[in-house]
Amino acid sequence: MVSVPPPRRSLLSFGWIIPVLGLLVLLVAFVWKPWVDRRPIVVGILHSQTGPLATSERAVIDAVVLALEQVNARGGLLGREVKWVIADGKSDEAVFASEAQRLITEEKVSALFGCWTSASRKAVKPVVEQSNHLLLYPVQYEGCEVSPNIVYLGAAPNQQIVPALAWSQERVGRKVYIVGSDYVFPRVAGEIIRRQVTALDGEVVGETYLPLGSKDVAAAIASIRAARPDVILNTINGDTNVAFFEALQREGRDGARIPVISFSIAENELQEIGNLSALEGHYAVWNYFQSIERPENAAFIAAFRARFGESRVVSDPMEAAYCGALLWARAVTEAGTEAVDEVRTRLRGQSLNAPEGVVTIDPATQHLWKTVRVGKIGRDGQFEIVWDSRYPIRPVPYPISQPPSAWATLIDTLFRGWGGRWSRPTS
């Protein structure tokens, strides 16, 4: 009798194994999740909480925190909570550099949101470049810089200084006096102003620079009195503005007689200064004012006040910092990782319907396209918008009045002349 071997079972008869194994994998992944990264994504917020610049910078911290809290309220990023470490730059560029290094190496942050003055940004720039890290910088500045490791959220010169000069030369007067703090932004801004005033057939009748945080403005006021300008262009930063405007008021030079156009005074500074009679009628040039009438701006103001108090105001650097955090969060989502290289790639070209209007990160320069606005200070501490560019302006980091190499030489000369610092030493 010939034995017949049992029939072979087809592999297909075990087809149920694959779906079952798949279900087991999903069960492990979504119930136990032992290998899924659930650690928080940590970022650093680096601003001055002490020193003469704290008045401006503390409010920017709140704006970044608001944005990150909103991100977490929507479920975080990549299924992970976003946490932040706040560091105090102490209004000192050397402290900014050391704290940036600590946040990167010890706190292992995925991005830095911070810096106020160009001196602090210049000090942090080599830190983020050597670490191949990422800084999102929220303040208008002097330009003459492009870094693959920095996203410039504030205005470049052609989005603030240059249009402000064109406006003031036409509507205010051609005799200009420049007053500023003695660090890299006001010094380079002064050169930009001198070149443009000359091109517009105006005249710079005087120029004074004051140490950061100084309250001694008597010599500046005396020089202005002697020069008799049509307009004062102000690049003073920090608490010095209080002493400067109060001294101007004592001189009887109110906004109706010799207007001051400021590039670093916004709503938050007006609230801190308090003496609005010394400021009423003067001007500031920004991309954002709290008085902008847009639904997106109303929502931003309402959310900020609900979180930090009904008496609080918002300003251009605060709005820029808020938008920067949201743009970063979107880039992380699209990249599927918080890794710097991938996030930086995704940031380029990102757009946001921001409180100020639509902003877009220019892929070539990592600066934002922004609308320019001139605001007149009212007695309520708000700005009446008296002129705007109507459309976002493409950023041009290097002013066209001279070649980039010449701007680089000017900045290097300042740095060397100040003993390897980005502001004039006060001692």
Side-chain angles (χ1 to χ4, degrees), residues 30 57 67 76 104 108 122 151 167-168 190 205 236 244 266 272 274 304 315 331 340-341 365 376 391 394:
F30 290 98
E57 296 193 62
I104 292 169
K108 308 297 183 185
K122 287 284 192 184
V151 176
W167 179 84
S168 68
V205 296
I236 294 173
F244 177 70
E272 291 288 338
F304 187 84
S315 66
V340 170
D341 285 335
T365 65
K376 188 174 185 178
Y391 303 104
R394 179 175 66 90

Side-chain angles (χ1 to χ4, degrees), residues 1-329:
M1 180 176 179
V2 179
S3 65
V4 180
R8 289 185 175 181
R9 293 193 176 184
S10 169
L11 289 175
L12 294 176
S13 64
F14 294 97
W16 57 272
I17 295 177
I18 295 174
V20 169
L21 287 174
L23 288 172
L24 287 173
V25 169
L26 289 173
L27 184 64
V28 171
F30 290 98
V31 178
W32 287 289
K33 303 179 182 178
W35 59 76
V36 177
D37 189 356
R38 295 298 174 190
R39 295 172 299 172
I41 296 175
V42 183
V43 299
I45 302 175
L46 178 55
H47 281 291
S48 297
Q49 297 173 285
T50 55
L53 300 172
T55 294
S56 300
E57 296 193 62
R58 281 193 296 256
V60 181
I61 296 172
D62 293 341
V64 177
V65 168
L66 175 65
L68 297 177
E69 286 179 345
Q70 290 177 343
V71 169
N72 281 335
R74 293 192 289 266
L77 296 175
L78 313 179
R80 299 160 64 186
E81 182 185 10
V82 180
K83 290 190 174 182
W84 48 90
V85 179
I86 300 175
D88 184 4
K90 298 183 179 180
S91 302
D92 186 307
E93 62 194 76
V95 176
F96 269 93
S98 62
E99 284 297 279
Q101 189 66 63
R102 182 183 66 83
L103 289 169
I104 292 169
T105 58
E106 297 180 20
E107 301 291 348
K108 308 297 183 185
V109 300
S110 299
L112 290 172
F113 300 95
C115 298
W116 180 270
T117 66
S118 284
S120 63
R121 187 198 69 256
K122 287 284 192 184
V124 169
K125 179 174 176 281
V127 175
V128 294
E129 288 179 342
Q130 290 163 16
S131 303
N132 189 32
H133 218 272
L134 182 64
L135 169 67
L136 292 101
Y137 177 63
V139 188
Q140 45 70 241
Y141 82 120
E142 72 282 356
C144 308
E145 180 179 299
V146 174
S147 171
N149 299 93
I150 301 176
V151 176
Y152 302 83
L153 303 165
N158 74 305
Q159 298 167 315
Q160 189 197 35
I161 296 172
V162 172
L165 276 170
W167 179 84
S168 68
Q169 291 279 289
E170 180 181 342
R171 291 178 169 84
V172 182
R174 295 187 173 276
K175 293 172 64 178
V176 172
Y177 193 100
I178 304 169
V179 61
S181 299
D182 208 355
Y183 70 100
V184 63
F185 161 61
R187 285 288 185 172
V188 177
E191 181 66 19
I192 295 170
I193 291 167
R194 284 192 299 272
R195 289 178 171 276
Q196 187 173 350
V197 168
T198 300
L200 294 172
D201 294 325
E203 180 185 5
V204 175
V205 296
E207 196 167 356
T208 299
Y209 294 94
L210 304 167
L212 269 170
S214 172
K215 302 299 189 342
D216 184 4
V217 299
I221 296 299
S223 180
I224 291 169
R225 184 192 310 127
R228 301 176 64 85
D230 297 324
V231 60
I232 300 167
L233 299 181
N234 172 29
T235 53
I236 294 173
N237 218 317
D239 292 348
T240 306
N241 273 304
V242 180
F244 177 70
F245 277 99
E246 288 181 347
L248 273 183
Q249 186 184 39
R250 288 193 296 270
E251 282 286 306
R253 287 165 168 76
D254 58 29
R257 293 181 59 191
I258 303 183
V260 179
I261 300 177
S262 297
F263 299 106
S264 297
I265 290 181
E267 291 85 348
N268 194 59
E269 287 74 26
L270 297 185
Q271 189 177 58
E272 291 288 338
I273 290 172
N275 183 11
L276 294 175
S277 62
L279 293 154
E280 184 181 356
H282 295 298
Y283 299 89
V285 184
W286 293 100
N287 308 116
Y288 169 87
F289 289 111
Q290 183 177 306
S291 56
I292 291 173
E293 295 183 358
R294 301 187 78 243
E296 295 79 8
N297 188 38
F300 170 55
I301 296 168
F304 187 84
R305 287 179 167 172
R307 174 64 175 84
F308 296 106
E310 287 298 318
S311 64
R312 294 290 299 274
V313 295
V314 290
S315 66
D316 182 289
M318 295 167 67
E319 188 260 2
Y322 171 82
C323 294
L326 296 182
L327 287 164
W328 169 82

